[in-house]
């Protein structure tokens, strides 16, 4: 037993070193830098056109054009994968390690991430193709292959390989582990029982393919997000007197660092930036290249329309859901308690709503994590399908369901580390492709809005 623990410790230390490197200054500059280049190239269009995105989302409940699922369900599938433990445990971890200022850097990541997510979806629809079974497939590996040409095929393969493996960490192990732990702590449910229930529920959905995943996500995601947002707003209302000073802490400590107080060990500005950006990306996945895999199968004729819908994922995930979690933690004062992860968010809700707050977080986290397992199963299978075609999908789904058991019963910190490291490995090929293909995004966007404005002018012109 001791030898096993020693090996795990060595592996954790080794992975920790790699993680510090891949999530070091280079990666944070790359993610924010590419987002900034895209945002400037698009003349801040993703920020100004959020309303247009919401309008298209509402109209996109029924699809028009080739694809497998409606534009609305494509966003819900991508949101099912993004709204997960990152919104509850990830935000808390960022505040615990980086102080309240980390929340500010999460917002900055989201503002540039709007442009990144928009560009990813535009390219995903533009360069998608049909597989041998006649289904639409797309995502970074396809826009690298079809947009950059054969010379860059290795880069697409690198993304698909990292994505296929990373899915088992970020989309399976981390989620299953979080559910098992939170249900064990709050309801004394044995982790093995949780693992089996998750396996049965996941298998029932994913064996039906993307249409079933899209239908389940289309119903479950809006319900769970709205429920969590309402609960969070109640917590903020109870702490309404502390909201002003909480916001002041977020803005000042983003640039000055946080002194040690209570159970909080203190954090430099670099920690606020590092953990704010890293957890922001972990939560909204802008730049990772995961979401465009879902948007590529949307029933749409317009890459730009799907891009406008896709960027809402970042807005909803980080600007709305993560902000509610972060402000609840800071305004309640729970951030100085020494608690971390989901326990910290749970404490913040429990302080405002004694007796029920902890249960709200336990149930929210369980549902969020379950839908993330569904969304990421689709991402992972498409990455593997890139190499082996449709015949690999059934075996991958069976392996995915089996992996839930190991994820639920394993050591959490090691799984978080693996997921975090592989996230970065996925992001690198995708960010390179986004930069190289950015002129295509700018051109398609310019053409779409020019055409839209021209038809608006024509409809206003008086009849001859």
């Amino acid at each position: 037993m001791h030898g096993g623990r020693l090996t795990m410790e060595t592996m954790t230390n080794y992975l920790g070193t790699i993680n510090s490197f891949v999530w070091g200054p280079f990666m944070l500059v790359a993610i924010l830098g590419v987002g900034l280049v895209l945002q400037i190239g698009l003349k801040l269009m993703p920020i100004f056109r959020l309303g247009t995105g919401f309008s298209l989302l509402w109209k996109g409940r029924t699809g028009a054009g080739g694809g497998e699922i409606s534009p609305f369900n494509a966003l819900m599938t991508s949101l099912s994968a993004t709204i997960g433990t990152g919104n509850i445990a990830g935000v808390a971890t960022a505040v615990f390690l980086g102080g309240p200022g980390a929340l500010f850097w999460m917002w900055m990541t989201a503002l540039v991430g709007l442009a990144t997510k928009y560009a990813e979806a535009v390219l995903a629809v533009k360069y998608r193709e049909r597989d041998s079974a006649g289904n639409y497939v797309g995502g970074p590996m396809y826009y690298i292959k079809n947009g950059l040409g054969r010379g860059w095929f290795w880069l697409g393969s690198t993304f698909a390989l990292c994505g296929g493996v990373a899915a088992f960490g970020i989309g399976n192990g981390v989620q299953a582990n979080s559910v098992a732990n939170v249900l064990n702590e709050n309801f004394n449910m044995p982790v093995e029982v949780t693992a089996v229930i998750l396996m049965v529920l996941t298998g029932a959905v994913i064996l039906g393919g993307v249409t079933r995943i899209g239908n389940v996500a289309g119903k479950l995601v809006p319900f769970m997000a709205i429920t969590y947002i309402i609960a969070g707003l109640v917590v903020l209302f109870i702490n309404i007197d502390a909201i002003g000073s909480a916001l002041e802490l977020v803005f000042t400590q983003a640039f000055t660092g946080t002194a040690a107080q209570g159970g909080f060990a203190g954090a430099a500005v670099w920690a606020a930036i590092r953990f704010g950006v890293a957890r922001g990306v972990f939560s909204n996945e802008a730049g990772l290249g995961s979401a465009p895999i879902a948007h590529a199968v949307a029933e749409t004729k317009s890459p730009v329309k799907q891009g406008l819908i896709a960027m809402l994922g970042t807005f909803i995930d980080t600007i709305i859901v993560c902000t509610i979690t972060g402000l609840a933690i800071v305004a309640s004062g729970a951030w100085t308690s020494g608690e971390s992860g989901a326990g910290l968010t749970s404490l913040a809700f429990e302080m405002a709503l004694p007796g029920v707050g902890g249960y709200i977080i336990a149930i929210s986290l369980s549902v969020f994590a379950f839908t993330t397992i569904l969304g990421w199963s689709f991402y992972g299978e498409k990455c593997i399908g890139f190499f082996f075609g449709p015949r690999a999908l059934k075996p991958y789904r069976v392996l995915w369901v089996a992996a839930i058991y190991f994820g639920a019963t394993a050591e959490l910190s090691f799984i978080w580390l693996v997921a975090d490291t592989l996230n970065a490995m996925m992001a690198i090929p995708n960010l390179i492709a986004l930069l190289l293909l950015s002129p295509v995004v700018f051109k398609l966007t310019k053409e779409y809005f020019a055409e839209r404005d021209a038809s608006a002018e024509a409809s206003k012109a008086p009849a001859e």
Side-chain angles (χ1 to χ4, degrees):
M1 192 71 191
H2 180 70
R5 199 159 54 238
L6 190 68
T7 312
M8 181 60 83
E9 197 179 314
T10 310
M11 283 169 67
T12 304
N13 289 341
Y14 179 65
L15 247 181
T17 309
I18 297 172
N19 185 271
S20 300
F21 173 73
V22 294
W23 276 118
F26 161 75
M27 177 53 76
L28 304 192
V29 168
I31 286 172
L32 292 177
V34 170
L36 203 56
V37 167
L38 291 167
Q39 194 65 273
I40 291 166
L42 291 163
K43 302 183 176 69
L44 306 185
M45 181 279 292
I47 295 171
F48 295 127
R49 295 281 187 172
L50 276 168
T52 308
F54 278 107
S55 156
L56 287 169
L57 175 64
W58 187 247
K59 291 173 192 156
R61 287 166 298 154
T62 51
E68 315 297 323
I69 53 179
S70 70
F72 178 86
N73 279 355
L75 177 67
M76 292 307 129
T77 302
S78 99
L79 269 179
S80 75
T82 50
I83 298 185
T85 53
N87 298 77
I88 292 176
V91 177
T93 303
V95 174
F96 173 73
L97 295 170
L103 192 57
F104 173 85
W105 295 106
M106 269 192 155
W107 293 335
M108 293 303 102
T109 307
L111 285 179
V112 298
L114 289 171
T116 312
K117 193 75 74 99
Y118 167 81
E120 287 176 329
V122 168
L123 294 171
V125 175
K126 163 81 175 161
Y127 292 111
R128 66 186 178 178
E129 58 181 64
R130 286 181 186 269
D131 64 16
S132 57
N135 297 317
Y136 277 98
V137 286
M141 54 282 198
Y142 292 96
Y143 52 71
I144 290 169
K145 181 180 106 173
N146 299 328
L148 294 176
R150 301 295 301 177
W152 290 90
F153 188 81
W154 62 274
L155 193 68
S157 302
T158 303
F159 173 87
L161 181 64
C162 289
V165 180
F168 283 97
I170 180 178
N172 190 318
V174 168
Q175 311 300 331
N177 202 295
S178 299
V179 178
N181 283 348
V182 83
L183 292 183
N184 180 257
E185 283 166 20
N186 289 276
F187 302 102
N188 293 320
M189 189 182 282
V191 291
E192 294 81 6
V193 174
T194 302
V196 172
I197 293 170
L198 272 178
M199 287 169 75
V200 171
L201 290 175
T202 304
V205 179
I206 71 168
L207 295 175
V210 68
T211 311
R212 196 180 297 169
I213 293 172
N215 287 337
V216 171
K219 294 175 178 65
L220 201 52
V221 172
F223 172 75
M224 69 170 190
I226 290 164
T227 306
Y228 181 76
I229 287 165
I230 290 168
L233 290 173
V234 169
V235 171
L236 291 179
F237 181 75
I238 289 166
N239 291 303
I240 198 156
D241 295 344
I243 300 286
S245 52
L247 286 168
E248 192 183 330
L249 280 178
V250 169
F251 284 105
T252 56
Q253 298 190 358
F255 302 98
T256 58
T258 315
Q261 49 189 295
F264 182 75
V269 174
W270 168 239
I273 299 172
R274 184 193 162 189
F275 294 110
V277 174
R279 292 291 154 205
V281 172
F282 185 88
S283 178
N284 66 47
E285 295 174 18
L288 284 193
S290 48
I293 299 172
H295 289 289
V297 300
E299 295 166 331
T300 183
K301 294 174 187 152
S302 168
V304 171
K305 276 186 181 176
Q306 198 58 37
L308 289 163
I309 291 172
M311 70 187 190
L312 300 178
T314 301
F315 181 81
I316 293 165
D317 177 274
T318 309
I319 303 293
I320 298 177
V321 184
C322 286
T323 297
I324 285 171
T325 305
L327 282 180
I329 289 167
V330 180
S332 65
W335 70 279
T336 60
S337 65
E339 274 283 350
S340 179
L344 176 53
T345 310
S346 194
L347 176 66
F349 274 64
E350 189 64 31
M351 286 165 76
L353 302 164
V356 291
Y359 293 128
I360 288 171
I361 293 302
I363 294 163
S364 298
L365 192 138
S366 301
V367 180
F368 283 9
F370 170 61
T371 58
T372 300
I373 292 171
L374 299 182
W376 268 92
S377 71
F378 178 66
Y379 295 163
E381 73 174 44
K382 289 304 174 209
C383 287
I384 297 303
F386 179 73
F387 295 109
F388 304 108
R391 70 176 187 274
L393 303 188
K394 280 272 162 52
Y396 187 89
R397 288 169 192 169
V398 172
L399 186 62
W400 184 264
V401 172
I404 290 170
Y405 190 87
F406 296 100
T409 54
E411 171 57 39
L412 180 65
S413 57
F414 183 71
I415 290 177
W416 266 104
L417 202 54
V418 172
D420 218 23
T421 307
L422 286 169
N423 261 8
M425 307 294 230
M426 278 174 73
I428 295 165
N430 184 49
L431 292 170
I432 293 168
L434 287 174
L435 265 186
L436 294 175
L437 291 168
S438 60
V440 177
V441 177
F442 302 152
K443 180 172 176 282
L444 287 171
T445 307
K446 196 174 176 183
E447 285 170 0
Y448 172 80
F449 283 109
E451 198 179 305
R452 189 179 139 128
D453 293 344
S455 61
E457 282 300 315
S459 65
K460 273 189 222 162
E464 288 294 322

